[in-house]
């Protein structure tokens, strides 16, 4: 798919990343879901940032951040719940699949968000 012209993409990937054992298709789908949500959260434009770093205890730390509308605090605790959605016409499957994929890879995921300022998803995957 074509990137919307109103979104600035910032990609910052370290040169010394730990290798991870992962299913490429599942990780691509995970990143697609996070990207789609971020783009939808920035209807007036903004910045979508991807970062990858070596984490502590031999992990690969990935983050996907946007400068979009953010997530309300009462919804934040439910974003990974199956069928939970705040979008008209949303299915509530995307972030629950992201969560499941991370855990199937023995990783962790956290989300933080400030309404009106954006959202960051942080993933940590163990080294292969």
């Amino acid at each position: 798919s074509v990137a919307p012209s109103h979104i600035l993409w910032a990609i910052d990937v370290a040169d010394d990343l730990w290798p991870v054992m992962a299913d490429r298709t599942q990780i691509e789908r995970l990143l697609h879901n996070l990207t789609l949500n971020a783009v939808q959260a920035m209807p007036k434009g903004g910045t979508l940032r991807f970062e990858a770093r070596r984490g502590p205890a031999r992990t690969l730390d990935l983050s996907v951040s946007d400068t979009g509308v953010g997530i309300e605090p009462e919804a934040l605790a439910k974003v990974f719940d199956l069928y939970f959605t705040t979008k008209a016409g949303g299915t509530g499957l995307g972030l629950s699949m992201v969560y499941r994929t991370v855990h199937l890879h023995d990783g962790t995921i956290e989300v933080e968000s400030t309404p009106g300022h954006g959202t960051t998803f942080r993933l940590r995957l163990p080294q292969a």
Side-chain angles (χ1 to χ4, degrees):
S1 67
V2 177
S5 60
H6 64 281
I7 304 291
L8 173 67
W9 292 65
I11 301 172
D12 185 5
V13 177
D15 292 331
D16 63 347
L17 299 179
W18 301 111
V20 296
M21 184 71 73
D23 181 296
R24 181 185 184 114
T25 302
Q26 288 182 5
I27 297 300
E28 286 174 351
R29 198 170 299 136
L30 174 154
L31 291 172
H32 175 80
N33 278 322
L34 291 177
T35 301
L36 181 62
N37 282 353
V39 168
Q40 290 173 345
M42 298 184 289
K44 296 179 180 167
T47 300
L48 176 56
R49 174 175 291 281
F50 296 90
E51 292 185 50
R53 299 262 177 273
R54 258 184 169 179
R58 293 179 149 330
T59 57
L60 170 64
D61 289 3
L62 301 170
S63 67
V64 179
S65 304
D66 66 64
T67 57
V69 297
I71 303 169
E72 294 297 326
E74 58 274 6
L76 198 58
K78 301 176 194 173
V79 295
F80 296 120
D81 292 354
L82 189 58
Y83 305 123
F84 177 79
T85 185
T86 59
K87 298 179 199 168
T91 63
L93 295 174
L95 288 178
S96 64
M97 293 305 293
V98 166
Y99 183 86
R100 185 172 190 277
T101 299
V102 169
H103 285 273
L104 284 173
H105 287 85
D106 296 323
T108 61
I109 185 168
E110 298 174 349
V111 58
E112 60 182 58
S113 187
T114 304
H117 295 283
T119 301
T120 298
F121 287 89
R122 287 188 180 81
L123 296 74
R124 181 166 281 167
L125 300 172
Q127 177 190 13

